[in-house]
Amino acid sequence: MFRAILVAVLSCLALSLTGCSESSLEGCVETLAGGPLPIATARDQRFQGKVRESTARCRGGEVALKFLNTPWVDWANYYATRDAASLEDLETRNRRGIGGALIDLEYARVELLKFNLFDNAGTYQQYVTGRPGIDGPALKTWAEMRLPPTHPSFADVGGAGEQVCTGALIRGRTLTGICNDLRNPLMGSSGTLFANNAEFESLFPDTGLNAIARNRHGDRLSLLKPDPQVISRRLFTRAQSDPTACGDGHGNPGAAKGGDCDYKKAPFFNVLAAFWIQFMTHDWFSNLEEGHNAPESMNVGCTSQLVAGIDTPLTPQDVARLGCRPEDAIDKGFVADGTAPQTFTQGGREYATRAPKTFRNTNTAWWDASQIYGYDETSRRRVKRDATDPARLQVVLVEGRSTAGDRQGYLPLLDASDPKLPDWSGQEAVAFPDNWTIGMSFFHNVFAREHNQFVDEFRRRAARTPDADSGLRNPSNPARIIRYRDVTADELFEAARLVVSAEIAKIHTIEWTPQLLYNEPLFRGMNGNWFGLLNGEGPLPDSLERTLLRLRDAPSSRANDVYSIVASGPGIFGQGSGKRGWSLSNPDDVNGGTNHFGSPFNFPQEFVTVYRLHPLVPDLIEYRETGNPDTIQSHVPVIETFRGKATPFVRQRGLGNWALSMGRQRLGLLALQNHPRFLQNLRIERLQSPTKQIDVAALDIIRDREHGVPRFNEFRRQYGLRQITSFDDFIDRRLPPDSPEARNQAQLASTLREVYGQHRCDVSKQITVAQRNADGSPIDDCLGHSNGSMVDNVEDLDTVVGYLAEATRPHGFAISETQFVVFILNASRRLFSDRFLTSSFRPEFYTTLGVDWVNNNGPQKMVEPRAINGHDDQPVSPLKRVLMRVMPELESELAHVANAFDPWARDRGEYYSLEWRPRSDARNDEAFRPPRAP
Ligand code: HEM
């Protein structure tokens, strides 16, 4: 039955989206005759984003054929997946290209859900073995997700008997994230364990866990080998044409104009987008507790480098030349459990029950705006509510600031009684205060105002129609209608939290991500996750919804293969909320839209890795003012806004001016040699080391090694992507070989070779079980090169370094395809698993106004007057709406903006243009002046 559904759905997708009616084309006929690609049944038979020759020809013609032999995914070369130059006159071709890309992406997601879920909380054995009558990937509840007897809510959820959350525990998002899933109360809550996406046996490559790992890396790796500070200085440092004007990221004294730090810029993504993602990570995960790690301190390198392939101590001259610091030290990472895991046997194979070391996510894993509202008792104490109306967040008026936005107020400061690190003194009071700069101050202030906007609109409606039904219900008494006048301040506060969290999830899904991945397939894919690919049209979404519920409850793992494909029809968001007869008294309705695919939800440690996005941050902010938006008034070093210094900057200059400044400025490309200088030299007062400084870029590498994340090539294989076989694979073959970019990439490949080295390879050493060679033979140490030849140590490459080196990316991708594949899996799961974004997205929890607010991006619908990339009648995007509400002074500036994360003065051109040219009324903007001659 499952195969029949799968074929039907894929054919439907293929026909509705690909338009394979141009049947004269040989490739399409062959592709159709071959039927849908089977879903892999074994890890080493995965699709790897690579298609048959006939499929490539059908979907992308000669261009797609040309790059079939590269390691990089094929869909990026299909018709209509790039800018206007990739559009064909024949519309059917464009549809084949876009539809084909969507099919490839869906295959990737199906395989990721099937092969990449490794839970560390004790459920993995059941995932592999199943329980009587039910396959492991079809399991829905786990004893490990029960609240323990020591938990304060133990008795409330059922104690030692069956545990089901009810009453007050299910009304809204709980402080620590318990009871999101009614029958798995502990899942996703603060302090639960990070999962993994890579097989446990592939983790901690430097410990030589097994023969395969030893074959892969020899004895070349340890926590500080290759040296992380040397990697940082050679591969991460931003080159400066005028080092004095940059001052290592400190610019000119007094933040004066003329400070200048070169950085590689992404033309289609702005600085707001950089700080947005930091703001998001502070919601999703943290390895730290209250801004620090474990009590013990450790040195962090700047001690050795490879010379002629031999690890050699650095001389004082080397240290001076590199600019690294051997005396730096930082606290070691926390470990939850470092004891050897137990093992079990299934089908003749031995498995570990968990990773060799486990780590706690100290945040809630839910998209619950916990960075604003709190994730434990300590963080909640920093969240300040308005004493005159406790449904509102506290804001204060700032003397001298008087725009319509300023009158909505600014966050108050941490006070003496708030729990805090001394380093945080003087900054605004929020639940997650670490690594505070102008960027965090900006978004926290924006969403505090947005929270209050919702509360104020609710209060206005309550004043107009006090006896009307607010939509809200109390699960302890579901039949009682709660009128507007009955809603308590606490109830309204929690409803506003739900609304703000869902708005944030929507902004991220349909505004930030489609600009991060700026092309048509991803626009459709991300809108598909939210609204559904069918967007309420097409074949019977209602029946698809019923099919989904049946698939979700099926005891077979094969149902999972089909589930995410079917879900792409109606969309993930709101899944199960429209079920006929939905009842608040029925836990299976309240919870019924979620699917965890057999493995409890938490982020994997590999997810943290791909969010180490420090190159996004420029050293200096080009500060502007709304009265004169084209002129850069001064260059404000981000480091001059670190921690408490952010607060006077944001207050004295005004939130609207910062929105304009960060909205117009391009962010840093995620690329090698593009880390902010200031982050390599960050001063952290709490450190006991002689330097009190830390190189955050080097720390990114060290933390991943501490967490046992596989190195780049095995990381790709684990996620079902094709391996590289030489550092030269990083050179983008789409570029003319003698172009400056290609030459620069060749230079970087040779620096990688110097830093990571080479070795004489041995074909007798198998280095992975995750994939095989095309002929079915095991992959060996020579990676296709001849036995005994010198090969690059590509297996040792740290994952962060590898993904920053990936120059070959799909059009408009601000991230690499390796990072992207991690998002495909985890961004989808973050929606699939959360009932507040699926079956509990209902007025009973959000209020009627709240549901409308999330759906309409505010109190009423607004539609853009112009088509966007060929799409008519687009709703005004959700962050743009928020910015218009909380800073009305930006109205004329925002009028031209289609996506708040695209540089605001950029002319977006016709179809996914990446060009850097001004829109007609911003021709005088200084940022469009030609760059200085070197
Ligand atoms: C100016 C802004 C920023 C500063 C000062 C900063 C600082 C830091 C520091 C000091 C750490 C190391 C913590 C440790 O492991 O001991 C860190 C970790 C991290 N940063 Fe940043 N960062 C900034 C911007 C960003 C941005 C834009 C992103 C984008 C997502 C980001 C993502 C991360 C992630 C994912 C970690 C690891 C956190 C964890 O392990 O829980 N940071 N950052």
Side-chain angles (χ1 to χ4, degrees), residues 194 271 273-282 284-289 291-293 330-333 360-363 432 434-440 512 605 607-618 638-639 641-643 670 676 678-679 682 684 686-687 694-697 699-700 702-704 706-707 803:
F194 280 109
V271 173
F275 288 120
W276 173 266
I277 191 59
Q278 189 188 14
F279 182 58
M280 288 301 91
T281 60
H282 291 178
W284 300 330
F285 58 77
S286 176
N287 275 286
L288 288 80
E289 273 176 20
H292 63 81
N293 254 296
I330 192 135
D331 30 16
K332 288 187 178 167
R360 284 187 202 291
N361 181 356
T362 57
N363 277 2
F432 194 106
D434 207 19
N435 295 333
W436 195 255
T437 63
I438 191 66
M440 291 309 90
W512 186 83
Q605 198 61 268
F607 190 72
V608 180
T609 301
V610 296
Y611 276 107
R612 297 189 182 279
L613 303 181
H614 292 119
L616 295 178
V617 183
V638 176
I639 190 61
T641 73
F642 192 40
R643 302 201 152 145
L670 289 170
F678 79 90
L679 279 183
L682 192 67
I684 300 187
R686 72 177 172 82
L687 296 177
I694 202 73
D695 177 342
V696 177
L699 194 56
D700 278 339
I702 296 173
R703 292 294 187 222
D704 273 1
E706 283 188 290
H707 297 151
Y803 70 62

Side-chain angles (χ1 to χ4, degrees), residues 393-440:
L393 284 165
Q394 191 191 344
V395 284
V396 294
L397 293 179
V398 169
E399 212 178 310
R401 296 240 42 101
S402 59
T403 65
D406 294 330
R407 290 197 296 276
Q408 294 180 34
Y410 287 81
L411 282 165
L413 304 191
L414 285 163
D415 59 43
S417 65
D418 284 326
K420 59 177 180 301
L421 279 180
D423 288 10
W424 297 340
S425 296
Q427 65 186 59
E428 290 101 317
V430 299
F432 194 106
D434 207 19
N435 295 333
W436 195 255
T437 63
I438 191 66
M440 291 309 90

Side-chain angles (χ1 to χ4, degrees), residues 875-897:
V876 177
S877 59
L879 181 60
K880 174 171 166 179
R881 292 289 303 280
V882 171
L883 298 180
M884 285 160 66
R885 266 193 297 279
V886 305
M887 287 167 279
E889 62 270 29
L890 292 177
E891 194 182 332
S892 66
E893 174 71 20
L894 285 169
H896 310 270
V897 171

Side-chain angles (χ1 to χ4, degrees), residues 507-519:
I507 290 167
H508 190 84
T509 307
I510 66 158
E511 191 165 0
W512 186 83
T513 311
Q515 198 62 38
L516 171 92
L517 313 167
Y518 191 51
N519 61 46

